[in-house]
Amino acid sequence: MKVLRNFAYTSGYQIFSILVPIITTPYISRQLGPSGMGINAFSLSLVQVFVLFAYLGTQKYGNNIISKNRDNNPVLIKNFKSIYFNQLLTTTLVLLLYILYVLIFINKYQNLYFIQGLYLISVYFDVSWFFQGKEDFKTTVVRGLGSKLLGMVLIFILIKGPKDVVLYGLILAASSLMANIVMWLYLWREIDWRQFFKVRIKLNPFLKQLKNIFIYFIPVAFLQITTQMYQLILGWHASNTEVAYYANASKIIIIPLYIITSFITVMFPRISYEWANKGKRRVTDLLNHSIELTISLSMPLTFGMIAVSPNFVDWFFGPGFSAISPVMVILSIRIIPATLNEAFGYLYLMADGQASLYSKALSLGGIVSLILNFIVTLSGGAEATAWVSVVSEILIMMAILFFSHSVIKVLLNGLILRSILYSVIMFLPIYYIGRDVRGNISVTIIQVILAVIIYGTLIFIFERSRIHKILRSFTS
């Protein structure tokens, strides 16, 4: 029951996170314009690369270690202190490097780049990995809801035109910082602080743990760096407008992935715990059922995004953003391979401590994508960058499935194969409805409702018993 409850918390938070940009993006795109949104997206992409190095692999490694030792309080506190001190060390070093970079290399919009540095400050206070390792997702959800809601309100009150680009960056960065500070109010009740201060950190174990954190950092780094580098390389070779097209298309496509990855996020500490306590058979059952569920979600989401994007873009973003539509269609193809990569990469390889194999798979896709990006963005712009993203994701998928060959037979499961058929049946009518329509919000709403009815009905009629069995396995 805890898995389903945590999924409800996480998916509910992700849905709220989805609603925030749906509500704010049309307003922001009209106030800041393509150039203003591109400037913010470019500066945010840069700081996120530094944030990535500040965390290293703390979030996934900490989550994994806390989940495996959550029943042993002395070991739990010892690991928490050591992991957190590693986080303090890396964040301080990266923050200093970021300040130097901005002072030396950034001349235009320097104040915006310094404000974006608040994202690095917020890393000092981020202990979400501790709560996730204990499968306490309610705490991480509650602290995020308030900050996002406040940020959304401030955007509508304070952002009034292109001159407010810096203020927009401040609102978003300060909201992130506040969310992480609030988390310490919850942490204060979770830790035996007397025991915490008694724990002595010895140099050799500390450095060994730093090495392990770095091993977990490599998969995370390749995923995040390539994502951010797409926008950075596009910004270097093309205009801020092209960056805005790609960045905004990515924001929409990430919405269905949020729903899928929220389930994977919930399952990661559970499977890590099962590896440490109950063995491979229970893990295999959970892994198979997790993959069945995530793929049966990703299929209709992929076909649905392709069907609604042409009409959706015109009314959602407003005039001047129609070029986002083909970028969205291309990026929709990423959803299925990205789902497989997350499921097998995190729930099988990383949960079992095989982060090095995951790193090798991501290295292949990351290197190829960066090389292709430098080549194709010279002439292709946002659409070429989107195709590079798809090719990279497929290459990574092929490598991950190779390393996970002992468990990939689940992909031949009947539910997964039939979900493809159900998705095609769903796609045809909703695509036909919006084929010749542009800028009509009512048509998009009808498309979404019809898609849910068609796919939901097919699943209910033909897969009801299988879905019930899968859900029941998560409660046992």
Side-chain angles (χ1 to χ4, degrees), residues 323-342:
I324 291 177
S325 179
V327 181
M328 273 186 62
V329 171
I330 296 167
L331 288 177
S332 297
I333 304 171
R334 282 188 63 234
I335 295 174
I336 295 171
T339 299
L340 289 170
N341 293 344
E342 291 269 334

Side-chain angles (χ1 to χ4, degrees), residues 15 42 56 65 91 96 126 167 182 184 187 236 240 271 299 301 320 345 400 411 452 455-456 469-470:
I15 291 171
F42 186 77
L56 284 184
I65 295 300
T91 303
L96 293 174
D126 190 357
L167 181 58
V182 168
W184 280 78
L187 182 70
W236 293 333
N240 284 328
I271 290 181
M299 288 293 177
L301 289 171
I400 288 176
L411 296 178
V452 172
Y455 191 79
K469 181 180 179 180
I470 291 171

Side-chain angles (χ1 to χ4, degrees), residues 289-305:
H289 292 155
S290 297
I291 291 169
E292 285 183 81
L293 194 59
T294 52
I295 294 298
S296 64
L297 284 173
S298 67
M299 288 293 177
L301 289 171
T302 297
F303 284 92
M305 294 299 290

